[in-house]
Amino acid sequence: EHTEWDSDTVASKLAQAKSVIIVPGYGLAVAHAQYAVAEMTKILRDNDIKVRFGIHPVAGRMPGQLNVLLAEAGVPYDIVEEMDEINDDFDDTDMVLVIGANDTINSAAEDDPNSIIAGMPVLRVWNAGQVVVMKRTMGAGYADVDNPVFFKENAA
């Protein structure tokens, strides 16, 4: 079973965090949420919370799509990092916000050798202190594979 938090709980946990990584996916692009996320990022940084973005190489529907959207919204380039740059940092991160991503954060790629996505590089968001996944449904992503991250103890 998964845990659900309301927006007030998420806001409260964000305010308590010292470090946050935001992982955007295609859902962020579809929702045109880059401007709201850029505004939230500014507020968090103005409150001395370290905020960075973790971008999977195939996030969105074409390489670089999320980088372009974040740049368009005014997110500083120096806090947007590629998967290989940021993956080892999740262990030391208080909170991860996954916004509209699924397959690119699916732990089955590493944990289930029988999964059709076994061996696919993924962002290891589940290693953070807390993971909040924001998406329309708990359904499978583009690869049609269930995501165990949604059901981990540190996920909401």
Side-chain angles (χ1 to χ4, degrees), residues 88-106:
D88 291 336
D89 295 350
F90 287 108
D91 293 328
D92 299 319
T93 301
D94 297 326
M95 190 167 189
V96 172
L97 292 180
V98 177
I99 306 175
N102 191 339
D103 296 330
T104 58
I105 62 145
N106 192 325

Side-chain angles (χ1 to χ4, degrees), residues 6-22:
D6 62 19
S7 58
D8 289 336
T9 302
V10 174
S12 173
K13 297 289 186 180
L14 278 171
Q16 295 170 28
K18 299 218 180 320
S19 61
V20 174
I21 295 175
I22 300 170

Side-chain angles (χ1 to χ4, degrees), residues 119-134:
M120 181 180 104
V122 291
L123 286 150
R124 297 185 194 105
V125 299
W126 60 88
N127 289 335
Q130 182 68 53
V131 181
V132 175
V133 179
M134 294 182 262

Side-chain angles (χ1 to χ4, degrees), residues 19-106:
S19 61
V20 174
I21 295 175
I22 300 170
V23 176
Y26 183 64
L28 177 136
V30 169
H32 303 283
Q34 65 267 30
Y35 295 100
V37 170
E39 177 69 21
M40 177 185 65
T41 299
K42 181 180 181 332
I43 292 167
L44 293 171
R45 293 181 78 203
D46 286 348
N47 284 284
D48 296 322
I49 296 169
K50 181 180 182 180
V51 180
R52 293 179 295 160
F53 287 77
I55 308 293
H56 192 281
V58 297
R61 288 295 184 258
M62 65 186 107
Q65 179 181 16
L66 277 299
N67 301 68
V68 170
L69 292 177
L70 294 173
E72 175 185 274
V75 171
Y77 290 109
D78 64 335
I79 67 169
V80 178
E81 298 184 28
E82 299 300 321
M83 179 180 67
D84 292 341
E85 297 172 303
I86 205 164
N87 236 356
D88 291 336
D89 295 350
F90 287 108
D91 293 328
D92 299 319
T93 301
D94 297 326
M95 190 167 189
V96 172
L97 292 180
V98 177
I99 306 175
N102 191 339
D103 296 330
T104 58
I105 62 145
N106 192 325

